[in-house]
């Protein structure tokens, strides 16, 4: 048995189904084992970065570990952006990195790149220095991927180690299972429960840690028991149903990006904040403004580095979100008493009033008939057509994030794949392919700008080739939105940095996808319906909509109902 075969066997035993990436230096020893595997499918992306982002989208959509592979040299450096995005949003992605033989390391041979380039962007990195290390390194990798706060892991695999033969049976591997989670301390749970039960206006904020811990049921039950208004971070959008009467949408306390009118209004009244799984990363977890005096913060997070990072919590709890919420819920039930608690009509009414006023102000934008149209209308036309319970939506960087995230109604966990810690342009295309790979029965749709598609658009061919019928919506303002709006200013980018060209529907047609280009706002809905029909028949589809540049204005702090 060779070292490479032991790696493949370990991946099989850990339940890995797909590996996306690109062949390159150091990976050849793996091909025999992967070709013979009955449970792992390996396939090529058009770029190593997108291979990682396919694994990222798969992980976000399924809650499983996503796996990618790359050769050394430029292949490895290409993956840095994808790994950085997974690290910033705490996504469990395993990157298998081929490497030149150990005997050549440090001699500057062609394409030699040390895996140390990933050190600040991973939860853990391992190097297989000898074949006997493989089982222990694979165990450590999957333990890190599934335990505590998730994050990416990179494994460096020197080619000669992969080729080393050992007696069959000497590299036995036992899967690590679901990982290990930290439980909260009893005294911290008691303090949190006391604060919540005695609060007049408690609010609940949910971050990505609730999503990765699959703690949405506990969060919903606690919110309903105490009638707590609920807001989420961008990464956690959908972990609490946004059609629920207690949902404020986005806008974590004291304020975060895309804060809704409901969150602005209800946050002003808050006296106790329970933040679970929120890393308080700026600007999607908070905008950094101080928490006022008299407001108590209970902060639950599985990563000790996130506690007391931005705000000093009154009750910091280092624990898994599901275990912490379960314990707090039971403690609150004991204090409230049987048959007590439940939704308060006045709280529900305030949230609804704020939502209605907020959305009402946007109606003219949503229904704007001018040509070219705007990105907000495109999103609203899409929302009229899809079934939110059977759709996975992804946004991209820049304008598309603003067009979609504040107004998309996410009704189920993992029905909206939000990203933002790194916010790489073009992330959503690979993410959508990975999501479709993991959830083939759902409509998977993503929105991105023409500048983003120009960076990654060739990956649409991967969706076509692999029979993964995703729906790509390109909102084309013929440039970078911020650049186009600022290029007339002496402090803005010059026009040649802001203006772009390209007919991406023709590119999509050349790549084998169903495609349309839309210029009339009235044609947006019908075009999207035809594209969705194409995906239902098994064809990847792209709709390109010509739009005007438009900013995403935030509500002023003094906004009120």
């Amino acid at each position: 048995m060779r070292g490479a075969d032991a790696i493949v066997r370990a991946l099989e035993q850990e339940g890995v189904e797909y590996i996306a990436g690109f062949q390159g230096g150091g990976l050849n020893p793996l091909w025999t084992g992967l070709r013979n595997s009955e449970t792992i499918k390996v396939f090529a992306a058009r770029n190593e970065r997108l291979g990682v982002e396919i694994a990222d989208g798969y992980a976000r959509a399924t809650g499983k570990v996503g796996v990618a592979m790359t050769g050394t040299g430029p292949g490895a450096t290409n993956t840095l952006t994808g790994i950085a995005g997974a690290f910033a949003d705490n996504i469990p992605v395993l990157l298998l990195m081929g490497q030149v033989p150990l005997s050549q390391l440090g001699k500057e041979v062609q394409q030699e790149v040390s895996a140390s380039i990933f050190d600040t962007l991973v939860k853990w990195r391992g190097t297989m220095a000898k074949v006997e290390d493989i089982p222990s390194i694979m165990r450590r990798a999957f333990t890190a991927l599934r335990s505590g706060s998730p994050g990416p892991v990179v494994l460096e695999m020197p080619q000669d180690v992969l080729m080393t033969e050992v007696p069959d049976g000497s590299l036995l591997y036992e899967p690590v299972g679901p990982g290990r989670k930290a439980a909260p301390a009893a005294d911290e749970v008691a303090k949190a429960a006391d604060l919540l039960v005695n609060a007049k206006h408690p609010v609940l904020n949910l971050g990505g840690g609730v999503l990765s811990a699959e703690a949405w049921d506990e969060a919903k039950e606690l919110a309903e028991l105490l009638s707590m208004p609920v807001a989420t971070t961008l990464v956690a959008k959908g972990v609490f149903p946004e059609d629920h009467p207690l949902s404020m949408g986005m806008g974590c306390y004291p304020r975060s990006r895309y804060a809704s009118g409901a969150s602005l209004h209800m946050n002003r009244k808050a006296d106790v904040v329970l933040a679970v799984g929120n890393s308080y990363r700026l600007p999607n977890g908070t905008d950094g403004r101080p928490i006022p005096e008299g407001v108590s913060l209970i902060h639950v997070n599985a990563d000790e580095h996130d506690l007391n990072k931005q705000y000093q919590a009154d009750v910091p709890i280092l624990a898994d979100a599901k275990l912490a919420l379960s314990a707090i819920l039971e403690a609150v039930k004991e204090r409230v008493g049987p048959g007590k608690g439940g939704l308060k009509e006045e709280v529900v009414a305030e949230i609804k009033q704020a939502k209605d006023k907020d959305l009402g102000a946007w109606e003219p934008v949503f229904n704007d008939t001018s040509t070219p149209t705007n990105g907000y209308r495109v999103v609203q036309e899409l929302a009229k057509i899809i079934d939110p319970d059977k759709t996975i939506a992804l946004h991209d960087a820049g304008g598309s994030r603003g067009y979609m995230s504040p107004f998309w109604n996410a009704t189920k966990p993992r029905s909206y794949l939000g990203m933002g810690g790194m916010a790489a342009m073009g992330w959503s295309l690979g993410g959508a392919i990975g999501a479709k790979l993991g959830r083939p029965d759902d409509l998977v749709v993503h929105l991105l700008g023409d500048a983003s598609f120009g960076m990654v658009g060739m990956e649409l061919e991967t969706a076509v080739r692999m029979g993964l019928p995703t729906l790509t919506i390109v909102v084309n303002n013929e440039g970078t939105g911020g650049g186009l709006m600022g290029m007339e200013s002496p402090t803005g980018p010059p026009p040649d940095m802001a203006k772009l060209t390209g007919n991406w529907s023709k590119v999509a047609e050349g790549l084998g996808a169903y495609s349309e280009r839309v210029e009339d706002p009235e044609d947006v809905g019908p075009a999207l319906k035809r594209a969705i029909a194409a995906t239902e028949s098994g064809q990847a589809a792209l709709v390109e909509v010509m739009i005007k540049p438009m900013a995403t204005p935030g509500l002023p702090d003094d906004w009120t109902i």
Side-chain angles (χ1 to χ4, degrees), residues 126-144:
T127 298
M128 298 172 183
K130 56 183 184 295
V131 70
E132 293 80 10
D133 290 343
I134 289 175
S136 64
I137 285 178
M138 297 300 288
R139 284 195 299 271
R140 291 187 68 184
F142 277 94
T143 299

Side-chain angles (χ1 to χ4, degrees), residues 246-489:
L246 290 174
S247 172
M248 300 187 291
M250 291 191 295
C252 289
Y253 191 90
R255 180 168 181 164
S256 60
R257 176 180 274 170
Y258 307 128
S260 68
S263 69
L264 284 181
H265 177 74
M266 303 306 291
N267 283 352
R268 288 193 201 103
K269 305 173 68 172
D271 55 353
V272 174
V273 180
L274 172 58
V276 186
N278 183 359
S279 66
Y280 281 113
R281 176 190 285 269
L282 278 70
N284 298 312
T286 179
D287 66 359
R289 68 184 62 195
I291 292 177
E293 271 189 52
V295 179
S296 298
L297 173 63
I298 307 161
H299 187 195
V300 178
N301 205 285
D303 186 347
E304 68 274 15
H305 298 103
D306 284 330
L307 294 175
N308 298 321
K309 176 178 69 177
Q310 186 69 35
Y311 301 112
Q312 184 166 356
D314 297 275
V315 186
I317 301 176
L318 179 63
D320 172 74
K322 191 176 186 75
L323 295 177
L325 280 170
S326 296
I328 292 171
L329 180 60
E330 289 307 309
V332 168
K333 284 180 178 178
E334 291 175 4
R335 286 159 174 77
V336 170
K340 301 289 183 65
L343 269 63
K344 297 177 181 176
E345 291 184 9
E346 64 273 20
V347 173
V348 170
E350 278 191 79
I351 292 173
K352 184 179 186 305
Q353 186 179 357
K355 280 182 172 179
D356 289 345
K357 180 178 178 180
D358 191 358
L359 288 176
W362 281 92
E363 286 299 324
V365 178
F366 296 159
N367 299 316
D368 183 10
T369 58
S370 64
T371 302
T373 190
N374 63 74
Y376 302 101
R377 173 161 181 173
V378 175
V379 171
Q380 294 304 308
E381 294 291 336
L382 175 65
K384 295 175 186 176
I385 300 168
I386 58 92
D387 180 348
D389 289 339
K390 298 179 180 178
T391 301
I392 301 173
L394 300 85
H395 66 87
D396 209 84
S400 66
R401 178 183 56 215
Y403 299 144
M404 197 172 209
S405 300
F407 308 109
W408 189 264
N409 197 30
T411 58
K412 294 170 60 177
R414 301 196 176 112
S415 66
Y416 191 90
L417 306 188
M419 65 92 182
M422 194 55 55
M425 294 176 66
W427 167 87
S428 68
L429 181 50
I433 293 171
K436 189 67 177 179
L437 200 65
R439 305 258 296 276
D441 295 333
D442 288 336
L443 169 66
V444 177
V445 55
H446 70 110
L447 183 80
L448 76 169
D450 55 303
S452 290
F453 191 82
M455 290 188 176
V456 301
M458 292 301 103
E459 209 63 46
L460 186 60
E461 185 272 337
T462 301
V464 172
R465 167 170 37 90
M466 294 302 298
L468 297 168
T470 54
L471 171 56
T472 297
I473 303 174
V474 178
V475 282
N476 187 347
N477 57 20
E478 298 188 306
T480 60
L484 292 171
M485 289 182 284
M487 65 185 182
E488 302 303 327
S489 167

Side-chain angles (χ1 to χ4, degrees), residues 64 72 106 113 148 152 172 185 192 214 292 300 335 353 373 396-397 405 420 433 461 511 529 550 559:
K64 301 177 182 178
T72 188
V113 168
L172 292 177
E214 299 186 348
V300 178
R335 286 159 174 77
Q353 186 179 357
T373 190
D396 209 84
S405 300
I433 293 171
E461 185 272 337
L511 296 175
K529 287 181 181 178
M550 194 169 180
W559 186 94

